[in-house]
Each structure stands twice: as structure tokens, then as C-alpha cells.
Amino acid sequence: MTNPILSNWTTPFEIAPFNAISDDDFAPALEQAMQAHNAEIDAIADNPDAPTFANTVEALEAAGEQMDKVLSVFFTVAGADSNPAREELQRDFSPKLAAHFSGISSNKVLFQRLADLWSRKEDLNLTDEQARVLMLTHRGFVRAGAALEGEKDARMQDIKARLASLGTSFTQNLLADERDWYMELSKNDLEGLPAFVVDTARAAGQEKGVKGPVVTLSRSLIVPFLQFSPRRDLREKAYRAWAARGANGGETDNRNISAEILQLREERAKLLGYDSFAGFKLETEMARTPDKVRDLLMQVWGPAKSRADADAEILTQMMQEDGVNGPLEAWDWRYYAEKRRKAEHDLDEAALKPYLQLDRMIEAAFACANRLFGLEFTPLDVPLYHADCRAWEVTRNGQHIAVFIGDYFARGSKRSGAWCSAMRSQAKFPKVQAPVVINVCNFAKGDPALLSYDDARTLFHEFGHALHQMLSDVTYESISGTSVARDFVELPSQLYEHWLEVPEVLAEFATHAETGEAMPQEMLEKVLKAANFDQGFQTVEYVASALVDLAFHDGDAPADPMAKQAEVLSQIGMPQAIGMRHATPHFAHVFAGDGYSAGYYSYMWSEVMDADAFAAFEEAGGAFDPERAKALEENILSTGGSREAEELYLAFRGRLPGVEALLKGRGLIAA
């Protein structure tokens, strides 16, 4: 019987047939796919004909179709709907996949074919896109260790396998800590909480099998609890549990894992001839060097810390007026900041939230994409991996563009955070294929589901990533969509957030869940005026995490990452009442895999550009200026990694921005 994962998918738009796939199918499918992929690689390497772009580089692009099927389905469900069987499979798959891909990148015969092509690149009559793919493929092999020999080569394979296993363990430990902790709330504990927080807590209790309401470590629940609960003792208990994820001792503790990961990354970089892992990692990014990253972060740190220190004095005074003596603590900040926001901006999150319905915010994201790029979204009735998921066909002028899947609600089986991935990326070779793109979020469930303003911004952010995938228009999958420099990949997502704050968008789509009435003009003005509220806090918690990440990877790996973290925070004068956005034991961006390692700064690097890029619209005909939208699609959203990121931005904007646009955008310096 054919494994449903490897069969020909006859579903609409060849979406994975989730209703036919069981957990028992994954292991045999992976084994078969790896064998098929190895046979394809051997055929390329052992080809008796002289190397050509077609028989080597394009052949590599065409190889691995079965692997793509298995991995796209498995990692989608492993991240968004895990269970014990899938977690065990992930632990088993990690070293196997690391060995498999290491075997390809260390194939000396294959690498010699690429090296031969690289040495003759000027004589191959390649298109610009082909030349780019050749360069990236050759560079990728070199950076993976293809040129290493003997003991160094063997050691590199061991390091990759161990890092893959450690990253999986880190992720699963964090998921376990987030899934297992909850705090039951009595009737008295609910005092002072808005109805939407109580409803969310009750829904969380149902999911945990508890009769009453609970607080969990889901951001969509714990943050509003910290904002609104007048019970300082409960806020402290909840915050300490949130901050302690991955550092609770026992089997799920991530501290030793993070130390080993850092040591192995340093060894890996030095095997390749680099002084540090940061030097290795940043070589291919826009920033290029650790010094440039540190310079950007410190330019932002000073104004952000000054703002946060000034805010802390005000919040401390408010706390003392409540009769609470002693210093402002991390579990106090959000509570008093919310009270201050209500006092200074007359803006109450509890009053605002009914206007931010999930369904209406999805409509808003779609409507902006329609006005900017002509995209239309039609609901699809297809089997997906969880009942919470929804799907849409994306078209333009009647032509199929993509399938978009949204998985928006928090649940215990889903890792925290929000992300976008492509279950299938756009390409024209070896066959034309349209993308299947998924946004995964962790919003609180409700009837109707209501978002915080930060949640709504997250929805727009992830949809910006989705647009980068859906509007991709390149030949080769390896440079499709978001296959760009890490410090450029956040530009489309962070740029799209700006459309949430366009007054006419909120005026149309921010409608009350019960009355259906549009957000009152007075409230709309308050929302936009308060958009930069508490930016000192938000910027400090982010930049602190980015500076710690950089310090971990720039120089010798610390034997004790927690001590190094404390050292960095002390050096920069981290305010006592603000915690890192991601402390080391739950810093999944950095330790779940290599993606954002030495690269967490990239959100801020991209923000320097996104503030400037949206200004281009404002300087032209406004947020929906058709010429700017066309330029954005042609130069950034459709081009993937077909050219250097700096070149793409220059083509769109004509110049590179300075950090001032970011500081002004965050309200940290005067506009």
C-alpha cells in the first residue's frame, strides 16, 4: 500500500492529505524519502558527463521532492500540534536528518563538480538568477564544511548531528514547561480582571481539564493577566513561572543544553577558519560583522534605556501611591503601565479589545493585500491537520497565486510564539508550483475571538511574511520567498504591520463584537496616539536579548551562559524591573536551531528599513500608493533571494536608511 505522504496528492491544489496521514506513516516515509534522495544525489555526483549548470546545479534543485513532502508535513504538525508520538519521532529524526544532509554537503565528488563550475562561472553564459544560484550553492557547501578533509570533516559531521539533537531537546523541554504549568484561580482571584481575561482563563481551564479558570504560560493569557490583576502575589507567582521556563531543574532544564550548543557552534566556526561563530554567521548577512550589529544595538539602547528609566520612576510613584513599598519589580511593570496608559491616554485595553475581533483583523489583512497587490481570498473547504485551521485560495485577476492556511489559536500541543512557513514554496523549475503558506499564532480562543492590539500587530506581521512567500516570482525554489538574508527577512513582515495603523483600515475593520459599530473616532485617535506607549520597556527587553545573543557568539563560548547573561545585563545597566524578552533557557530563537543564532538583532536591523520603507508610501500618495506598492512587489516581495538584500532595498528606495527613522518611529527621539 502506498504511503499517503509519498503518494500523488489529488487534493485541491495538491495540499497535503492530512486526513489520510497517521503518525505511523512518518518514519517509513522518511526512510523511503532519504533513500530516494541519496540515489538522486549519487546520480548527480557520479554523472560521467562534464559538470554543467543543468546536470549539477539544476539537478540538485530538482532532487528531494519526496523529502520535501515528508518534512513539510511532519514539521508543520510537530510545531503546531505536537503529541508524545510526534515528539519521539522528532527526537529520532533530528540526528538522522543531520547525518543525511551532512552526507550531501560533505560529498567530495559532488563538491568537486560545483567547484569546477564555480571556477568557470564567467564562461557558462548563465542568467543573473542562475549565477546567483550557483554562487549560493557553492557557498553553502563551503560553509557546511565540504572543503574539510579527514578528522576535521568527521568532526564537523559529529557536531552537526549533536546540534540537531540538542536543538530538538531544547524545543521539547520548553514546550513541556509551557504545557505543564498552570495556576488555578478562585472566584476571589478574578477580582479586577476584565471579562475577556476571565473568559480566556476559563477556556484555558477547560483545555487543561480543570473545572475553573486558570492562568497558563501562553503569552495571550499571561500578559493580560499581568496587565490587569491587582493581586501582586499572583502576578509574582505567574511571572516567576513564565521567566523560569527551561530553568526549573530536572529533565526539562535547558541551561546545560545551551552551554553545549554554544561550545559546539564555536568549534564548528573555527573548523571553517573563523574567529567566532558570530563572524561565521554574519558574513552572509547585511550586517556582515559583529561590530556593525553591536553599533546598531547600542545606538538604540541608550535612548531606550533613558526612556525606560524615566518611565520606571513614574510607575514606582504610582505603586507607592497604592501603598506598596519597595522597588518596582518585573511583575509590576505591565500592571502599572496599563493603569498609566488608561490615565494618560484614556485608553482601556478592556474597552478596546471588543473592537479587535480576530475575523475582522484577518479581513483587514486581506483587504490591504487586495488594495496593494490585487490579491483576492476565497475560503477553501479542505482537510487540515487541526480543526482550528482555516484555508483560503489566493488569486489575482482570476489566476491562482497560492493557498494560505491560518492556524490562530493557542493550545497545549503548539509551541509558543508565532511563525510563517511554506509547506510548498513557489518555483518554476523543475515544474511550475504555487506556494502553500501557513501562519501559526497563539491567540486566546473565544466566541468571538478578541485580540489585543499587540496580537493584531502579530497577525499583520506574520501575514507580511506570507505575502513574501505568496508573491514570490523566481525560477528556483532555493531562492524563493523568504530565502533571503536573516536580517532582511523581517522587512516585509515588519513593514506590513504599518498598515494596521492606517486610520482608514481601523475605521473599517475595527468593529465592536456585540454591536457591530465601528470604533468611535475618539477611541481610534487614542489608539494611534498611544501606539508608541511603553516603547522604552519594549525596546529594552528586546535589545537586551539581542545583545546577550551577540555576546554568546562573538568570542569564546561561555562555559556558563547564565553567568554571561548576567554579566552582559550588568554591563549595559539593565533596569531591574524589566526582564529580557527571551532569557537564555527559553530563548528558542537562538537555541532551537541556528536560524536566529547571532541573529536576533535582525528584527531591529529590518526595522531600520521598514520605518524608512513605509515613509516612502507616506511621501508618495499615501499608504496605498499604487506606484510604491508596485515597486515593493517588483523589488522585494517577488524577488526572493535572487539578488543581494542591500541591492534589493536600494532598487526600491534609492538609498539606505539610518537608525534615526527607527528611533523616531518608536518615539524614542522627537520626530
Side-chain angles (χ1 to χ4, degrees):
M1 184 175 176
T2 304
N3 190 304
I5 303 175
L6 300 178
S7 65
N8 290 323
W9 295 348
T10 57
T11 50
F13 308 108
E14 297 182 339
I15 298 172
F18 288 105
N19 59 337
I21 296 171
S22 75
D23 289 344
D24 292 337
D25 294 320
F26 286 117
L30 181 65
E31 289 298 324
Q32 184 176 332
M34 284 197 299
Q35 289 177 14
H37 197 202
N38 282 330
E40 292 168 327
I41 296 300
D42 289 343
I44 299 167
D46 298 336
N47 189 335
D49 297 335
T52 65
F53 185 83
N55 70 20
T56 304
V57 179
E58 286 191 331
L60 282 171
E61 289 281 331
E65 182 179 359
Q66 288 191 359
M67 285 290 288
D68 290 343
K69 279 186 164 184
V70 177
L71 299 184
S72 69
V73 176
F74 178 73
F75 283 111
T76 294
V77 298
D81 191 27
S82 192
N83 59 35
R86 290 168 187 172
E87 289 178 12
E88 184 177 349
L89 285 168
Q90 199 167 2
R91 289 190 293 270
D92 182 48
F93 287 0
S94 291
K96 288 182 179 179
L97 288 169
H100 174 76
F101 289 110
S102 288
I104 295 171
S105 62
S106 63
N107 186 314
K108 305 304 180 189
V109 179
L110 179 58
F111 179 60
Q112 284 305 311
R113 294 181 71 86
L114 288 170
D116 175 70
L117 288 171
W118 182 244
S119 70
R120 298 186 289 112
K121 58 183 180 294
E122 305 299 337
D123 303 322
L124 298 177
N125 295 319
L126 302 178
T127 66
D128 289 344
E129 189 175 334
Q130 288 173 333
R132 176 77 173 165
V133 171
L134 172 59
M135 184 279 288
L136 292 172
T137 305
H138 178 262
R139 186 177 75 181
F141 270 73
V142 172
R143 289 171 60 81
L148 297 178
E149 301 285 351
E151 292 182 4
K152 289 184 177 182
D153 185 21
R155 179 58 184 155
M156 180 64 82
Q157 311 316 313
D158 291 342
I159 289 173
K160 289 180 184 177
R162 180 62 178 158
L163 282 172
S165 294
L166 290 170
T168 297
S169 296
F170 188 98
T171 302
Q172 293 187 351
N173 289 345
L174 178 56
L175 177 62
D177 278 5
E178 291 173 342
R179 181 178 56 216
D180 294 345
W181 188 91
Y182 60 87
M183 178 175 69
E184 295 188 50
L185 300 176
S186 68
K187 185 176 181 180
N188 290 338
D189 298 337
L190 301 177
E191 184 180 342
L193 294 177
F196 78 85
V197 180
V198 176
D199 291 344
T200 301
R202 292 192 192 284
Q206 287 182 333
E207 201 219 351
K208 296 295 182 188
V210 177
K211 289 184 179 179
V214 303
V215 174
T216 69
L217 298 182
S218 168
R219 179 176 284 272
S220 61
L221 176 50
I222 195 167
V223 168
F225 181 80
L226 293 171
Q227 281 179 298
F228 291 105
S229 175
R231 288 283 301 278
R232 193 177 192 229
D233 57 331
L234 297 182
R235 296 200 311 267
E236 179 179 359
K237 183 178 179 182
Y239 181 86
R240 287 190 181 280
W242 197 32
R245 291 169 294 158
N248 288 303
E251 293 183 354
T252 63
D253 199 292
N254 276 333
R255 287 171 288 191
N256 288 336
I257 290 175
S258 63
E260 187 178 353
I261 287 173
L262 293 174
Q263 290 161 4
L264 290 173
R265 284 178 180 162
E266 180 191 4
E267 185 181 356
R268 175 183 166 194
K270 288 185 172 177
L271 281 172
L272 294 169
Y274 294 86
D275 291 335
S276 68
F277 183 80
F280 160 73
K281 187 69 182 295
L282 295 172
E283 181 184 52
T284 60
E285 307 299 328
M286 287 186 75
R288 302 297 183 200
T289 69
D291 286 344
K292 287 187 178 179
V293 172
R294 189 175 290 104
D295 180 59
L296 167 70
L297 294 173
M298 293 309 296
Q299 284 187 66
V300 177
W301 176 258
K305 183 178 182 298
S306 294
R307 175 62 56 83
D309 287 341
D311 290 344
E313 291 184 14
I314 296 171
L315 300 185
T316 300
Q317 179 66 33
M318 293 173 65
M319 186 177 75
Q320 291 172 350
E321 290 171 359
D322 276 354
V324 180
N325 295 317
L328 184 75
E329 300 287 358
W331 46 88
D332 298 317
W333 191 293
R334 288 177 174 84
Y335 178 70
Y336 285 99
E338 181 61 31
K339 291 183 73 171
R340 181 187 175 194
R341 181 170 75 155
K342 189 173 181 180
E344 292 186 1
H345 295 280
D346 193 22
L347 187 62
D348 183 355
E349 175 102 359
L352 171 64
K353 202 157 187 173
Y355 290 97
L356 300 176
Q357 301 176 68
L358 171 62
D359 286 351
R360 294 293 280 152
M361 290 300 101
I362 294 171
E363 287 181 49
F366 288 176
C368 291
N370 176 263
R371 289 185 65 181
L372 289 164
F373 311 114
L375 300 181
E376 297 181 336
F377 299 81
T378 306
L380 283 175
D381 183 13
V382 292
L384 298 167
Y385 60 86
H386 194 278
D388 287 344
C389 296
R390 294 182 254 177
W392 293 264
E393 182 191 5
V394 186
T395 59
R396 179 157 58 184
N397 299 324
Q399 179 183 354
H400 177 75
I401 297 292
V403 169
F404 175 67
I405 299 170
D407 178 4
Y408 293 109
F409 296 124
R411 52 181 175 267
S413 62
K414 183 190 289 187
R415 63 179 169 90
S416 61
W419 63 94
C420 173
S421 57
M423 295 194 67
R424 182 173 65 236
S425 295
Q426 177 271 332
K428 300 173 187 174
F429 178 90
K431 61 182 179 182
V432 175
Q433 60 186 38
V436 176
V437 186
I438 182 168
N439 275 179
V440 183
C441 300
N442 271 281
F443 302 143
K445 219 169 190 176
D447 186 21
L450 304 178
L451 305 183
S452 68
Y453 197 70
D454 188 53
D455 287 339
R457 188 182 286 117
T458 295
L459 187 148
F460 269 70
H461 178 102
E462 297 306 332
F463 194 71
H465 281 308
L467 287 172
H468 202 181
Q469 296 278 15
M470 293 188 288
L471 291 172
S472 179
D473 186 21
V474 298
T475 302
Y476 301 103
E477 188 172 344
S478 63
I479 55 169
S480 174
T482 57
S483 298
V484 298
R486 181 65 62 176
D487 50 12
F488 190 69
V489 76
E490 297 298 337
L491 169 61
S493 55
Q494 293 179 179
L495 175 58
Y496 205 66
E497 292 178 32
H498 289 272
W499 273 273
L500 173 63
E501 297 181 355
V502 173
E504 63 189 278
V505 174
L506 284 174
E508 181 176 357
F509 294 99
T511 56
H512 198 279
E514 294 179 6
T515 67
E517 294 179 359
M519 182 184 290
Q521 182 64 27
E522 184 183 10
M523 179 180 282
L524 174 60
E525 291 172 0
K526 290 174 183 176
V527 167
L528 297 175
K529 191 175 179 181
N532 281 325
F533 180 74
D534 215 22
Q535 275 297 329
F537 170 88
Q538 294 180 39
T539 308
V540 160
E541 64 166 3
Y542 166 79
V543 174
S545 296
L547 284 167
V548 168
D549 166 43
L550 185 65
F552 279 162
H553 296 99
D554 186 20
D556 295 337
D560 183 351
M562 298 304 292
K564 184 66 174 179
Q565 172 183 296
E567 176 190 326
V568 172
L569 298 182
S570 175
Q571 287 173 348
I572 62 176
M574 183 73 171
Q576 175 190 319
I578 302 179
M580 295 169 63
R581 182 169 299 177
H582 304 290
T584 299
H586 53 261
F587 207 163
H589 277 80
V590 170
F591 293 107
D594 271 358
Y596 283 89
S597 56
Y600 191 61
Y601 77 92
S602 59
Y603 289 93
M604 188 140 282
W605 190 276
S606 293
E607 189 176 340
V608 170
M609 290 180 286
D610 85 61
D612 180 65
F614 192 70
F617 281 85
E618 295 176 318
E619 292 163 10
F624 294 99
D625 181 75
E627 291 302 315
R628 286 289 84 199
K630 181 180 178 183
L632 179 64
E633 179 176 354
E634 289 181 349
N635 295 300
I636 293 175
L637 297 178
S638 69
T639 51
S642 60
R643 289 182 281 160
E644 289 290 335
E646 186 171 306
E647 183 183 343
L648 295 175
Y649 191 81
L650 284 170
F652 167 71
R653 190 64 163 119
R655 58 174 171 75
L656 292 174
V659 73
E660 293 79 13
L662 178 148
L663 294 173
K664 289 175 183 176
R666 287 190 172 226
L668 298 175
I669 61 173

